[in-house]
Amino acid sequence: MKEHVGSCGRAARALFLSLCTLPLVTSAAYAQEEKEKENPASGDTGLGLTPGTPVVATLPGGIGPSYGKKPASEQDYSFDFHGLITMPLRLGLNQREGFVTTEQKNLVLHAPPVVPDYRDSFAGTTVVPQPYAQLAFSYGNSIVTGTAIIKAWTATTAASFFDPTLQGGITDAFITFNLPKLAKNTYLAINVGAFSNRYGTMGEYDEGRYGTALIGRTNGVGENVVARLALGNVVLSFEQGFQAQLDKPPIGLTTDGWNGFADPNTGTSLVMHEHLGLTYRRQLTLGLHHMRAWTQDDRASQAFTPDGTITVLGADMRFSASHLGHVYVGASYTDATDARSVGRILSVMNTQGGPDLMRNYLGPNSGGTGKIITLGAEYSLSLARLRLYPRDYDGKSRDIILSAFGIYSHVTSDDPAYNGDHKVKFGAEGTYTLASFFAASLRLDHVRPTSNVDGREFTIISPRLIFRTDWQSRNQVVLQYSRFVYGSNPLVRSGYPAVDDPMLAPDADMISISGSMWW
Protein backbone atom coordinates (compact mmCIF):
# COMPACT_ATOMS: atom_id res chain seq x y z
CA MET A 1 0.00 0.00 0.00
CA LYS A 2 2.84 2.37 0.88
CA GLU A 3 4.58 1.64 -2.41
CA HIS A 4 1.31 2.22 -4.30
CA VAL A 5 0.84 5.64 -2.67
CA GLY A 6 4.45 6.53 -3.37
CA SER A 7 4.16 5.65 -7.05
CA CYS A 8 0.94 7.68 -7.38
CA GLY A 9 2.67 10.61 -5.75
CA ARG A 10 5.58 10.40 -8.16
CA ALA A 11 3.17 10.19 -11.10
CA ALA A 12 1.18 13.19 -9.88
CA ARG A 13 4.39 15.14 -9.38
CA ALA A 14 5.55 14.31 -12.91
CA LEU A 15 2.17 15.33 -14.32
CA PHE A 16 2.28 18.60 -12.36
CA LEU A 17 5.78 19.41 -13.61
CA SER A 18 4.80 18.68 -17.19
CA LEU A 19 1.79 20.99 -16.92
CA CYS A 20 3.90 23.74 -15.36
CA THR A 21 6.39 23.62 -18.20
CA LEU A 22 3.80 23.81 -20.97
CA PRO A 23 3.88 27.66 -21.19
CA LEU A 24 7.61 27.49 -21.80
CA VAL A 25 7.04 25.88 -25.20
CA THR A 26 6.07 28.82 -27.38
CA SER A 27 4.28 28.44 -30.70
CA ALA A 28 7.45 29.51 -32.46
CA ALA A 29 9.46 26.86 -30.58
CA TYR A 30 6.92 24.20 -31.58
CA ALA A 31 7.22 25.23 -35.23
CA GLN A 32 11.02 24.98 -34.90
CA GLU A 33 10.73 21.46 -33.48
CA GLU A 34 8.59 20.35 -36.42
CA LYS A 35 11.17 21.82 -38.82
CA GLU A 36 14.01 19.98 -37.08
CA LYS A 37 12.17 16.67 -37.49
CA GLU A 38 12.40 17.09 -41.24
CA ASN A 39 16.07 18.16 -41.20
CA PRO A 40 17.92 17.90 -37.86
CA ALA A 41 20.80 19.98 -39.22
CA SER A 42 18.55 22.94 -39.87
CA GLY A 43 17.80 23.66 -36.23
CA ASP A 44 19.21 26.30 -33.93
CA THR A 45 21.75 23.97 -32.31
CA GLY A 46 24.67 26.38 -31.86
CA LEU A 47 26.94 26.36 -28.81
CA GLY A 48 25.87 29.85 -27.75
CA LEU A 49 23.12 32.40 -28.12
CA THR A 50 22.37 33.68 -31.59
CA PRO A 51 23.93 37.09 -32.33
CA GLY A 52 21.40 39.83 -31.63
CA THR A 53 19.76 38.01 -28.74
CA PRO A 54 18.88 40.63 -26.11
CA VAL A 55 21.17 40.82 -23.07
CA VAL A 56 18.45 40.14 -20.50
CA ALA A 57 17.70 37.49 -17.91
CA THR A 58 14.80 35.09 -18.20
CA LEU A 59 11.53 36.99 -18.13
CA PRO A 60 9.18 36.61 -15.14
CA GLY A 61 7.24 33.36 -15.29
CA GLY A 62 10.07 31.49 -16.98
CA ILE A 63 8.94 32.41 -20.48
CA GLY A 64 11.63 32.06 -23.12
CA PRO A 65 10.76 34.25 -26.14
CA SER A 66 11.95 33.22 -29.58
CA TYR A 67 13.75 36.42 -30.57
CA GLY A 68 13.70 37.32 -34.24
CA LYS A 69 11.46 34.44 -35.30
CA LYS A 70 8.08 34.81 -36.92
CA PRO A 71 5.19 33.51 -34.80
CA ALA A 72 3.64 30.23 -35.97
CA SER A 73 0.23 31.91 -36.04
CA GLU A 74 0.55 35.36 -37.62
CA GLN A 75 -2.90 36.70 -36.64
CA ASP A 76 -2.24 39.77 -38.81
CA TYR A 77 1.11 40.52 -37.14
CA SER A 78 2.93 43.14 -39.18
CA PHE A 79 5.92 45.46 -39.07
CA ASP A 80 5.47 49.22 -39.45
CA PHE A 81 7.98 52.04 -39.84
CA HIS A 82 7.33 55.79 -39.71
CA GLY A 83 9.56 58.81 -39.40
CA LEU A 84 10.22 62.51 -39.83
CA ILE A 85 13.43 64.24 -40.83
CA THR A 86 14.09 67.97 -40.97
CA MET A 87 17.65 69.28 -41.30
CA PRO A 88 18.26 73.04 -41.68
CA LEU A 89 21.23 75.16 -42.58
CA ARG A 90 20.66 78.39 -40.63
CA LEU A 91 22.99 81.37 -40.32
CA GLY A 92 22.70 84.50 -38.23
CA LEU A 93 24.09 87.70 -39.75
CA ASN A 94 25.60 90.51 -37.72
CA GLN A 95 28.23 93.26 -37.77
CA ARG A 96 31.55 92.83 -36.01
CA GLU A 97 31.90 95.16 -33.03
CA GLY A 98 35.02 97.03 -31.96
CA PHE A 99 38.26 97.30 -33.91
CA VAL A 100 38.29 95.37 -37.20
CA THR A 101 41.61 94.30 -38.70
CA THR A 102 42.32 94.09 -42.42
CA GLU A 103 42.12 90.28 -42.15
CA GLN A 104 38.57 90.38 -40.73
CA LYS A 105 35.23 90.99 -42.38
CA ASN A 106 32.68 93.42 -41.01
CA LEU A 107 29.97 90.83 -41.66
CA VAL A 108 29.98 87.91 -39.19
CA LEU A 109 28.10 84.61 -39.52
CA HIS A 110 26.74 82.58 -36.62
CA ALA A 111 25.40 79.02 -36.55
CA PRO A 112 23.04 78.67 -34.86
CA PRO A 113 21.84 82.29 -35.02
CA VAL A 114 22.37 84.35 -31.87
CA VAL A 115 18.71 85.25 -31.32
CA PRO A 116 16.36 84.97 -28.29
CA ASP A 117 14.40 82.00 -29.70
CA TYR A 118 14.83 79.19 -27.15
CA ARG A 119 12.49 76.22 -26.99
CA ASP A 120 12.62 75.93 -23.19
CA SER A 121 11.73 79.60 -22.56
CA PHE A 122 8.59 81.62 -23.08
CA ALA A 123 10.36 83.58 -25.85
CA GLY A 124 10.54 80.46 -28.07
CA THR A 125 8.66 80.87 -31.37
CA THR A 126 10.05 77.99 -33.53
CA VAL A 127 10.78 80.57 -36.26
CA VAL A 128 14.40 79.43 -36.34
CA PRO A 129 14.25 75.90 -37.85
CA GLN A 130 15.76 73.20 -35.65
CA PRO A 131 17.37 69.89 -36.71
CA TYR A 132 15.27 66.88 -35.80
CA ALA A 133 15.00 63.23 -36.80
CA GLN A 134 12.57 60.62 -35.51
CA LEU A 135 12.33 56.96 -36.49
CA ALA A 136 9.46 54.89 -35.09
CA PHE A 137 9.48 51.08 -35.39
CA SER A 138 6.49 48.96 -34.38
CA TYR A 139 5.47 45.33 -34.63
CA GLY A 140 2.18 43.77 -33.64
CA ASN A 141 -1.40 43.07 -34.56
CA SER A 142 -4.81 44.56 -33.86
CA ILE A 143 -4.57 43.62 -30.16
CA VAL A 144 -0.98 44.29 -29.10
CA THR A 145 1.82 46.38 -30.62
CA GLY A 146 5.35 47.07 -29.46
CA THR A 147 6.93 50.40 -30.44
CA ALA A 148 10.47 51.78 -30.16
CA ILE A 149 11.28 55.38 -31.18
CA ILE A 150 14.72 56.80 -31.94
CA LYS A 151 15.19 60.59 -31.87
CA ALA A 152 18.04 63.00 -32.49
CA TRP A 153 18.26 66.79 -32.40
CA THR A 154 21.42 66.98 -34.46
CA ALA A 155 23.29 65.18 -37.23
CA THR A 156 26.81 64.14 -36.26
CA THR A 157 28.12 64.66 -39.78
CA ALA A 158 27.25 68.36 -39.63
CA ALA A 159 28.07 69.03 -35.97
CA SER A 160 31.23 70.90 -34.93
CA PHE A 161 31.45 68.93 -31.65
CA PHE A 162 29.80 65.85 -30.22
CA ASP A 163 26.97 66.61 -27.81
CA PRO A 164 25.53 63.29 -26.52
CA THR A 165 22.42 64.98 -25.12
CA LEU A 166 21.29 65.78 -28.68
CA GLN A 167 21.62 62.13 -29.74
CA GLY A 168 18.58 60.83 -27.90
CA GLY A 169 18.86 57.21 -28.97
CA ILE A 170 15.83 55.15 -27.94
CA THR A 171 13.66 57.81 -26.32
CA ASP A 172 10.41 55.82 -26.17
CA ALA A 173 9.79 52.08 -25.82
CA PHE A 174 6.32 50.84 -24.98
CA ILE A 175 3.62 48.25 -25.63
CA THR A 176 0.06 49.19 -26.60
CA PHE A 177 -2.88 46.89 -25.82
CA ASN A 178 -6.13 47.52 -27.72
CA LEU A 179 -8.54 45.54 -25.59
CA PRO A 180 -11.70 43.92 -26.98
CA LYS A 181 -14.90 45.92 -26.64
CA LEU A 182 -16.41 45.51 -23.21
CA ALA A 183 -19.71 46.87 -24.52
CA LYS A 184 -21.15 48.33 -27.70
CA ASN A 185 -19.59 51.61 -28.90
CA THR A 186 -16.69 51.45 -26.45
CA TYR A 187 -12.92 51.71 -26.86
CA LEU A 188 -10.23 50.80 -24.36
CA ALA A 189 -6.45 50.94 -24.82
CA ILE A 190 -3.54 50.69 -22.40
CA ASN A 191 0.05 51.84 -22.97
CA VAL A 192 2.77 50.34 -20.78
CA GLY A 193 6.43 51.37 -20.95
CA ALA A 194 8.43 54.55 -21.47
CA PHE A 195 6.69 57.34 -23.39
CA SER A 196 5.39 60.90 -23.25
CA ASN A 197 1.83 62.21 -22.93
CA ARG A 198 1.09 65.74 -24.21
CA TYR A 199 -1.99 67.80 -23.40
CA GLY A 200 -2.90 71.26 -24.63
CA THR A 201 -1.32 70.98 -28.09
CA MET A 202 -2.63 73.93 -30.09
CA GLY A 203 -2.30 72.51 -33.61
CA GLU A 204 -4.89 70.28 -35.26
CA TYR A 205 -2.44 67.41 -35.79
CA ASP A 206 0.72 68.66 -34.08
CA GLU A 207 2.03 70.94 -31.31
CA GLY A 208 0.99 74.10 -33.14
CA ARG A 209 2.95 77.13 -34.32
CA TYR A 210 4.78 77.54 -31.01
CA GLY A 211 5.64 73.84 -30.63
CA THR A 212 4.56 73.44 -27.02
CA ALA A 213 1.99 71.67 -24.88
CA LEU A 214 0.01 74.47 -23.24
CA ILE A 215 -1.05 72.31 -20.27
CA GLY A 216 1.78 69.85 -19.81
CA ARG A 217 3.88 66.94 -21.01
CA THR A 218 4.86 63.85 -19.02
CA ASN A 219 8.21 62.09 -19.50
CA GLY A 220 8.58 58.75 -17.76
CA VAL A 221 7.90 55.04 -17.56
CA GLY A 222 4.55 53.65 -16.45
CA GLU A 223 1.04 53.25 -17.77
CA ASN A 224 -1.61 55.25 -19.60
CA VAL A 225 -5.26 54.21 -20.01
CA VAL A 226 -7.49 55.63 -22.75
CA ALA A 227 -11.23 54.88 -22.63
CA ARG A 228 -14.07 56.19 -24.83
CA LEU A 229 -17.83 55.70 -24.92
CA ALA A 230 -19.99 56.79 -27.88
CA LEU A 231 -23.57 57.91 -27.15
CA GLY A 232 -25.12 58.99 -30.43
CA ASN A 233 -23.36 62.16 -31.59
CA VAL A 234 -21.48 62.48 -28.29
CA VAL A 235 -18.26 60.69 -27.34
CA LEU A 236 -17.17 60.68 -23.70
CA SER A 237 -13.43 60.26 -23.08
CA PHE A 238 -11.36 59.42 -20.03
CA GLU A 239 -7.59 59.21 -19.79
CA GLN A 240 -5.42 58.32 -16.82
CA GLY A 241 -1.71 57.85 -16.37
CA PHE A 242 0.93 57.14 -13.77
CA GLN A 243 4.64 57.42 -14.51
CA ALA A 244 7.94 57.57 -12.69
CA GLN A 245 11.57 57.85 -13.69
CA LEU A 246 13.92 54.95 -14.31
CA ASP A 247 16.58 56.55 -12.12
CA LYS A 248 17.76 59.76 -10.43
CA PRO A 249 20.96 61.75 -10.90
CA PRO A 250 23.23 60.27 -8.18
CA ILE A 251 24.69 62.39 -5.41
CA GLY A 252 28.22 63.37 -6.39
CA LEU A 253 27.45 63.50 -10.10
CA THR A 254 29.26 66.40 -11.75
CA THR A 255 26.76 68.46 -13.73
CA ASP A 256 28.11 68.54 -17.27
CA GLY A 257 27.12 68.55 -20.90
CA TRP A 258 27.50 64.80 -21.40
CA ASN A 259 24.70 64.11 -18.89
CA GLY A 260 22.42 66.92 -20.04
CA PHE A 261 23.45 69.06 -17.04
CA ALA A 262 21.57 66.68 -14.77
CA ASP A 263 20.80 68.03 -11.30
CA PRO A 264 21.76 65.58 -8.51
CA ASN A 265 19.72 67.66 -6.05
CA THR A 266 16.46 66.52 -7.62
CA GLY A 267 14.81 63.35 -6.37
CA THR A 268 13.10 60.41 -7.99
CA SER A 269 9.96 62.04 -9.38
CA LEU A 270 6.52 60.72 -10.19
CA VAL A 271 3.48 62.07 -12.01
CA MET A 272 -0.23 61.22 -11.99
CA HIS A 273 -2.67 62.71 -14.47
CA GLU A 274 -6.37 62.40 -15.27
CA HIS A 275 -8.40 63.88 -18.12
CA LEU A 276 -12.08 64.09 -19.05
CA GLY A 277 -13.33 64.97 -22.52
CA LEU A 278 -16.56 65.39 -24.46
CA THR A 279 -16.69 65.41 -28.27
CA TYR A 280 -19.76 66.41 -30.28
CA ARG A 281 -20.17 65.31 -33.90
CA ARG A 282 -16.40 64.79 -34.17
CA GLN A 283 -15.98 68.55 -34.44
CA LEU A 284 -16.19 70.13 -30.99
CA THR A 285 -14.09 68.75 -28.13
CA LEU A 286 -14.08 70.03 -24.54
CA GLY A 287 -11.41 68.83 -22.11
CA LEU A 288 -10.58 69.06 -18.41
CA HIS A 289 -7.10 68.14 -17.21
CA HIS A 290 -5.32 67.47 -13.93
CA MET A 291 -1.60 66.69 -13.62
CA ARG A 292 0.46 66.36 -10.45
CA ALA A 293 4.19 65.69 -10.26
CA TRP A 294 6.02 65.21 -6.98
CA THR A 295 9.07 63.77 -5.25
CA GLN A 296 9.52 62.26 -1.80
CA ASP A 297 13.10 61.08 -2.12
CA ASP A 298 15.39 61.43 0.92
CA ARG A 299 18.38 61.63 -1.45
CA ALA A 300 17.28 64.98 -2.93
CA SER A 301 19.77 67.64 -1.80
CA GLN A 302 21.01 65.02 0.67
CA ALA A 303 17.73 65.27 2.62
CA PHE A 304 17.87 69.04 3.22
CA THR A 305 15.32 70.08 0.55
CA PRO A 306 11.55 69.81 1.15
CA ASP A 307 9.55 67.36 -0.93
CA GLY A 308 8.32 69.31 -3.93
CA THR A 309 5.13 69.26 -6.01
CA ILE A 310 3.94 70.72 -9.31
CA THR A 311 0.18 70.66 -9.90
CA VAL A 312 -1.41 71.68 -13.20
CA LEU A 313 -5.12 72.24 -13.83
CA GLY A 314 -6.24 72.87 -17.40
CA ALA A 315 -9.27 73.29 -19.63
CA ASP A 316 -9.42 73.57 -23.39
CA MET A 317 -11.74 73.64 -26.37
CA ARG A 318 -11.01 72.43 -29.87
CA PHE A 319 -13.30 73.04 -32.86
CA SER A 320 -12.47 71.49 -36.22
CA ALA A 321 -14.74 71.79 -39.25
CA SER A 322 -13.29 71.49 -42.74
CA HIS A 323 -14.72 74.74 -44.13
CA LEU A 324 -14.60 76.81 -40.90
CA GLY A 325 -11.04 75.90 -40.05
CA HIS A 326 -9.52 74.75 -36.79
CA VAL A 327 -9.82 76.66 -33.51
CA TYR A 328 -8.04 75.89 -30.24
CA VAL A 329 -8.49 77.79 -26.98
CA GLY A 330 -6.93 76.63 -23.73
CA ALA A 331 -6.02 77.72 -20.22
CA SER A 332 -3.79 76.23 -17.53
CA TYR A 333 -3.03 76.97 -13.89
CA THR A 334 0.32 75.75 -12.54
CA ASP A 335 0.88 75.65 -8.77
CA ALA A 336 4.44 74.82 -7.73
CA THR A 337 5.48 74.24 -4.12
CA ASP A 338 9.15 73.66 -3.30
CA ALA A 339 9.51 72.40 -6.87
CA ARG A 340 13.31 72.72 -6.74
CA SER A 341 13.53 68.99 -5.99
CA VAL A 342 11.12 67.80 -8.74
CA GLY A 343 12.90 66.24 -11.71
CA ARG A 344 12.14 66.20 -15.42
CA ILE A 345 9.07 63.97 -15.10
CA LEU A 346 6.76 66.90 -16.04
CA SER A 347 7.32 69.69 -18.55
CA VAL A 348 5.31 72.91 -18.31
CA MET A 349 5.64 75.08 -21.44
CA ASN A 350 8.72 73.06 -22.51
CA THR A 351 10.53 73.55 -19.19
CA GLN A 352 12.16 70.46 -17.68
CA GLY A 353 10.99 69.93 -14.10
CA GLY A 354 11.28 72.24 -11.12
CA PRO A 355 14.81 73.68 -11.67
CA ASP A 356 13.98 74.68 -15.26
CA LEU A 357 10.63 76.10 -14.15
CA MET A 358 12.53 78.31 -11.70
CA ARG A 359 15.09 79.33 -14.30
CA ASN A 360 12.51 80.46 -16.85
CA TYR A 361 9.46 81.54 -14.83
CA LEU A 362 9.64 81.54 -11.01
CA GLY A 363 13.15 82.87 -10.44
CA PRO A 364 16.28 81.53 -8.66
CA ASN A 365 15.21 82.92 -5.27
CA SER A 366 11.73 81.42 -5.32
CA GLY A 367 12.67 78.02 -3.91
CA GLY A 368 10.45 76.60 -6.63
CA THR A 369 7.29 78.08 -5.15
CA GLY A 370 4.90 80.10 -7.29
CA LYS A 371 1.94 80.08 -9.63
CA ILE A 372 1.54 80.53 -13.39
CA ILE A 373 -1.69 81.28 -15.27
CA THR A 374 -1.42 80.64 -19.02
CA LEU A 375 -3.89 81.34 -21.82
CA GLY A 376 -3.39 80.27 -25.43
CA ALA A 377 -5.26 80.20 -28.73
CA GLU A 378 -4.64 79.28 -32.35
CA TYR A 379 -6.83 79.49 -35.45
CA SER A 380 -6.19 78.20 -38.98
CA LEU A 381 -8.43 78.57 -42.06
CA SER A 382 -8.21 77.27 -45.64
CA LEU A 383 -9.91 79.71 -48.01
CA ALA A 384 -10.23 77.01 -50.69
CA ARG A 385 -12.20 74.77 -48.33
CA LEU A 386 -14.40 77.69 -47.32
CA ARG A 387 -15.04 78.69 -50.93
CA LEU A 388 -15.91 75.17 -52.15
CA TYR A 389 -18.15 74.20 -49.22
CA PRO A 390 -20.33 72.07 -49.18
CA ARG A 391 -18.22 70.29 -51.80
CA ASP A 392 -15.13 68.47 -50.55
CA TYR A 393 -11.72 70.00 -51.16
CA ASP A 394 -9.05 67.46 -52.17
CA GLY A 395 -6.11 69.81 -51.69
CA LYS A 396 -5.04 69.59 -55.33
CA SER A 397 -5.49 73.20 -56.35
CA ARG A 398 -4.45 76.69 -55.33
CA ASP A 399 -5.18 77.66 -51.77
CA ILE A 400 -4.55 80.36 -49.18
CA ILE A 401 -4.11 79.26 -45.57
CA LEU A 402 -4.38 81.90 -42.83
CA SER A 403 -3.53 81.41 -39.18
CA ALA A 404 -3.31 83.47 -35.99
CA PHE A 405 -1.88 82.38 -32.63
CA GLY A 406 -0.89 83.71 -29.23
CA ILE A 407 0.04 82.80 -25.64
CA TYR A 408 -0.12 84.86 -22.44
CA SER A 409 1.31 83.96 -19.01
CA HIS A 410 1.13 85.66 -15.63
CA VAL A 411 3.59 84.67 -12.90
CA THR A 412 3.17 84.91 -9.14
CA SER A 413 6.42 84.04 -7.40
CA ASP A 414 8.21 84.16 -4.05
CA ASP A 415 11.10 85.77 -5.92
CA PRO A 416 10.38 89.56 -5.98
CA ALA A 417 12.24 90.04 -9.26
CA TYR A 418 9.87 87.60 -11.00
CA ASN A 419 6.64 88.25 -9.10
CA GLY A 420 3.81 89.83 -11.12
CA ASP A 421 5.55 89.19 -14.45
CA HIS A 422 3.41 89.32 -17.60
CA LYS A 423 4.58 87.41 -20.68
CA VAL A 424 2.90 87.60 -24.07
CA LYS A 425 3.60 86.50 -27.63
CA PHE A 426 1.36 86.49 -30.68
CA GLY A 427 1.67 86.16 -34.42
CA ALA A 428 0.04 85.46 -37.76
CA GLU A 429 0.97 83.54 -40.89
CA GLY A 430 -0.36 83.41 -44.43
CA THR A 431 0.58 80.80 -47.03
CA TYR A 432 -0.33 80.96 -50.72
CA THR A 433 -0.03 77.72 -52.70
CA LEU A 434 0.53 78.88 -56.25
CA ALA A 435 1.31 75.52 -57.90
CA SER A 436 1.73 71.85 -57.11
CA PHE A 437 5.46 72.38 -56.54
CA PHE A 438 5.58 75.88 -55.03
CA ALA A 439 4.11 77.97 -52.22
CA ALA A 440 5.05 81.23 -50.51
CA SER A 441 4.36 82.30 -46.94
CA LEU A 442 4.86 85.24 -44.60
CA ARG A 443 4.94 84.92 -40.82
CA LEU A 444 4.93 87.79 -38.31
CA ASP A 445 5.68 87.36 -34.58
CA HIS A 446 5.85 89.74 -31.65
CA VAL A 447 7.25 88.59 -28.30
CA ARG A 448 7.36 90.36 -24.94
CA PRO A 449 9.17 87.80 -22.74
CA THR A 450 8.87 89.86 -19.54
CA SER A 451 7.10 92.96 -18.28
CA ASN A 452 9.47 93.37 -15.33
CA VAL A 453 12.38 94.54 -17.50
CA ASP A 454 11.94 97.22 -20.17
CA GLY A 455 13.24 96.79 -23.70
CA ARG A 456 13.25 93.00 -23.94
CA GLU A 457 10.51 92.80 -26.59
CA PHE A 458 11.25 91.86 -30.21
CA THR A 459 9.44 91.37 -33.53
CA ILE A 460 10.24 88.83 -36.25
CA ILE A 461 9.33 89.15 -39.95
CA SER A 462 9.81 85.87 -41.85
CA PRO A 463 9.08 85.44 -45.59
CA ARG A 464 9.46 81.88 -46.93
CA LEU A 465 9.58 80.05 -50.26
CA ILE A 466 8.38 76.44 -50.14
CA PHE A 467 9.21 73.83 -52.79
CA ARG A 468 7.77 70.30 -52.97
CA THR A 469 7.15 67.52 -55.47
CA ASP A 470 3.33 67.55 -55.55
CA TRP A 471 0.22 69.17 -54.09
CA GLN A 472 0.15 66.80 -51.13
CA SER A 473 3.69 65.48 -51.14
CA ARG A 474 5.44 64.34 -47.97
CA ASN A 475 8.55 66.38 -48.58
CA GLN A 476 9.51 70.03 -48.88
CA VAL A 477 12.46 72.38 -49.08
CA VAL A 478 12.05 75.80 -47.44
CA LEU A 479 14.11 78.93 -48.10
CA GLN A 480 13.62 81.46 -45.29
CA TYR A 481 14.77 84.93 -44.32
CA SER A 482 13.97 86.40 -40.92
CA ARG A 483 14.42 89.97 -39.74
CA PHE A 484 14.60 90.53 -35.96
CA VAL A 485 13.64 93.97 -34.70
CA TYR A 486 14.62 94.40 -31.04
CA GLY A 487 13.67 96.69 -28.23
CA SER A 488 16.21 98.84 -26.42
CA ASN A 489 17.51 96.05 -24.14
CA PRO A 490 17.53 92.63 -25.88
CA LEU A 491 18.92 89.57 -24.10
CA VAL A 492 20.41 86.42 -25.62
CA ARG A 493 22.33 83.44 -24.24
CA SER A 494 25.87 82.19 -24.61
CA GLY A 495 28.16 79.58 -23.08
CA TYR A 496 27.75 75.92 -22.18
CA PRO A 497 25.36 75.58 -20.51
CA ALA A 498 23.78 78.57 -22.21
CA VAL A 499 23.00 81.41 -19.79
CA ASP A 500 21.81 84.98 -20.28
CA ASP A 501 24.61 87.21 -21.55
CA PRO A 502 23.73 90.94 -21.48
CA MET A 503 27.06 91.77 -23.18
CA LEU A 504 26.31 89.76 -26.35
CA ALA A 505 24.67 91.57 -29.28
CA PRO A 506 21.92 89.53 -30.97
CA ASP A 507 21.79 88.91 -34.71
CA ALA A 508 19.41 91.11 -36.69
CA ASP A 509 19.05 88.77 -39.69
CA MET A 510 18.81 85.05 -40.32
CA ILE A 511 18.81 82.99 -43.51
CA SER A 512 18.09 79.28 -43.69
CA ILE A 513 17.44 76.39 -46.03
CA SER A 514 15.82 73.28 -44.61
CA GLY A 515 14.76 69.98 -46.11
CA SER A 516 11.97 67.93 -44.53
CA MET A 517 10.35 64.57 -45.22
CA TRP A 518 7.83 62.49 -43.30
CA TRP A 519 6.34 59.03 -43.84
Side-chain angles (χ1 to χ4, degrees):
M1 181 70 178
K2 184 176 180 181
E3 293 180 14
H4 179 69
V5 172
S7 61
C8 289
R10 286 192 296 272
R13 181 173 179 271
L15 177 61
F16 175 77
L17 290 176
S18 65
L19 291 174
C20 288
T21 57
L22 282 178
L24 300 181
V25 182
T26 64
S27 57
Y30 177 79
Q32 183 65 28
E33 291 177 3
E34 292 298 312
K35 184 178 180 180
E36 291 177 7
K37 289 179 181 178
E38 298 178 3
N39 182 6
S42 67
D44 246 344
T45 56
L47 300 181
L49 291 177
T50 304
T53 302
V55 187
V56 294
T58 303
L59 298 178
I63 300 299
S66 297
Y67 303 109
K69 296 180 180 178
K70 297 177 66 176
S73 176
E74 287 286 340
Q75 294 182 353
D76 75 344
Y77 271 90
S78 62
F79 172 78
D80 206 355
F81 172 49
H82 297 282
L84 183 149
I85 297 173
T86 178
M87 284 293 157
L89 162 66
R90 63 267 166 92
L91 295 173
L93 284 65
N94 210 333
Q95 295 295 316
R96 193 184 301 270
E97 293 186 343
F99 179 75
V100 180
T101 69
T102 56
E103 292 81 16
Q104 296 175 326
K105 302 291 191 301
N106 285 320
L107 175 67
V108 294
L109 305 175
H110 298 143
V114 181
V115 294
D117 192 345
Y118 308 110
R119 180 174 172 82
D120 65 342
S121 75
F122 183 88
T125 64
T126 72
V127 166
V128 178
Q130 301 295 322
Y132 181 77
Q134 174 174 317
L135 306 177
F137 305 87
S138 64
Y139 181 75
N141 57 21
S142 59
I143 299 176
V144 58
T145 301
T147 301
I149 298 176
I150 301 174
K151 295 180 184 178
W153 290 266
T154 189
T156 304
T157 300
S160 61
F161 73 102
F162 181 68
D163 187 345
T165 63
L166 299 180
Q167 296 283 358
I170 297 179
T171 58
D172 302 66
F174 58 95
I175 300 174
T176 301
F177 298 90
N178 292 302
L179 302 184
K181 292 183 178 180
L182 300 179
K184 186 178 180 181
N185 298 327
T186 61
Y187 171 83
L188 179 62
I190 301 175
N191 298 303
V192 180
F195 53 87
S196 292
N197 287 124
R198 288 171 285 183
Y199 299 95
T201 54
M202 296 168 60
E204 186 173 8
Y205 304 109
D206 50 39
E207 292 184 338
R209 295 299 195 278
Y210 288 131
T212 186
L214 192 72
I215 295 169
R217 167 180 173 153
T218 67
N219 310 283
V221 59
E223 54 83 17
N224 170 231
V225 177
V226 179
R228 300 190 189 101
L229 172 63
L231 301 172
N233 292 324
V234 176
V235 176
L236 302 178
S237 302
F238 169 75
E239 294 191 26
Q240 173 273 337
F242 175 74
Q243 292 175 296
Q245 295 172 300
L246 285 171
D247 50 23
K248 96 170 271 305
I251 299 298
L253 176 71
T254 300
T255 299
D256 207 343
W258 68 268
N259 55 39
F261 302 104
D263 192 335
N265 293 321
T266 60
T268 297
S269 301
L270 307 93
V271 63
M272 292 184 62
H273 55 102
E274 304 83 27
H275 315 266
L276 292 175
L278 183 151
T279 301
Y280 179 70
R281 291 185 176 272
R282 298 186 178 181
Q283 294 181 341
L284 177 65
T285 299
L286 304 176
L288 297 175
H289 311 269
H290 170 261
M291 311 178 79
R292 183 177 185 270
W294 78 98
T295 182
Q296 48 196 66
D297 190 339
D298 58 348
R299 299 169 296 174
S301 293
Q302 302 181 40
F304 292 114
T305 298
D307 293 340
T309 61
I310 302 175
T311 302
V312 182
L313 300 176
D316 56 2
M317 182 276 292
R318 188 185 306 275
F319 176 78
S320 182
S322 60
H323 65 294
L324 297 178
H326 173 262
V327 181
Y328 176 88
V329 178
S332 67
Y333 172 75
T334 302
D335 187 355
T337 303
D338 298 318
R340 172 66 182 82
S341 58
V342 180
R344 300 175 179 179
I345 191 74
L346 177 64
S347 298
V348 177
M349 294 288 290
N350 290 337
T351 60
Q352 299 294 316
D356 211 15
L357 194 66
M358 294 169 57
R359 187 178 304 113
N360 289 282
Y361 289 88
L362 302 180
N365 298 318
S366 66
T369 297
K371 299 174 176 59
I372 306 172
I373 297 175
T374 300
L375 307 174
E378 182 168 325
Y379 176 58
S380 297
L381 173 67
S382 165
L383 295 185
R385 290 184 183 275
L386 181 63
R387 179 177 59 86
L388 291 175
Y389 184 80
R391 292 179 294 165
D392 291 334
Y393 173 61
D394 60 6
K396 297 181 180 180
S397 63
R398 294 184 179 183
D399 191 11
I400 296 178
I401 300 175
L402 304 176
S403 61
F405 36 90
I407 295 179
Y408 165 81
S409 290
H410 177 263
V411 178
T412 302
S413 172
D414 285 359
D415 188 334
Y418 287 73
N419 186 45
D421 193 14
H422 299 271
K423 303 174 181 289
V424 63
K425 58 184 176 181
F426 55 88
E429 183 175 6
T431 301
Y432 181 26
T433 303
L434 290 87
S436 61
F437 62 90
F438 177 70
S441 75
L442 176 64
R443 174 169 170 169
L444 305 175
D445 290 88
H446 180 76
V447 181
R448 187 179 179 89
T450 177
S451 62
N452 289 357
V453 180
D454 293 333
R456 293 285 164 80
E457 68 278 359
F458 60 93
T459 300
I460 315 174
I461 305 170
S462 304
R464 295 164 173 160
L465 302 179
I466 304 169
F467 301 90
R468 52 198 180 193
T469 57
D470 203 352
W471 290 107
Q472 294 180 323
S473 63
R474 298 189 177 189
N475 57 82
Q476 65 180 27
V477 174
V478 179
L479 301 178
Q480 177 178 327
Y481 166 77
S482 293
R483 175 69 177 180
F484 288 77
V485 181
Y486 299 102
S488 58
N489 187 23
L491 183 65
V492 291
R493 299 176 181 176
S494 68
Y496 190 73
V499 295
D500 294 340
D501 185 352
M503 302 302 296
L504 185 62
D507 296 334
D509 303 282
M510 183 207 72
I511 57 173
S512 70
I513 175 172
S514 58
S516 302
M517 187 172 183
W518 54 97
W519 61 92

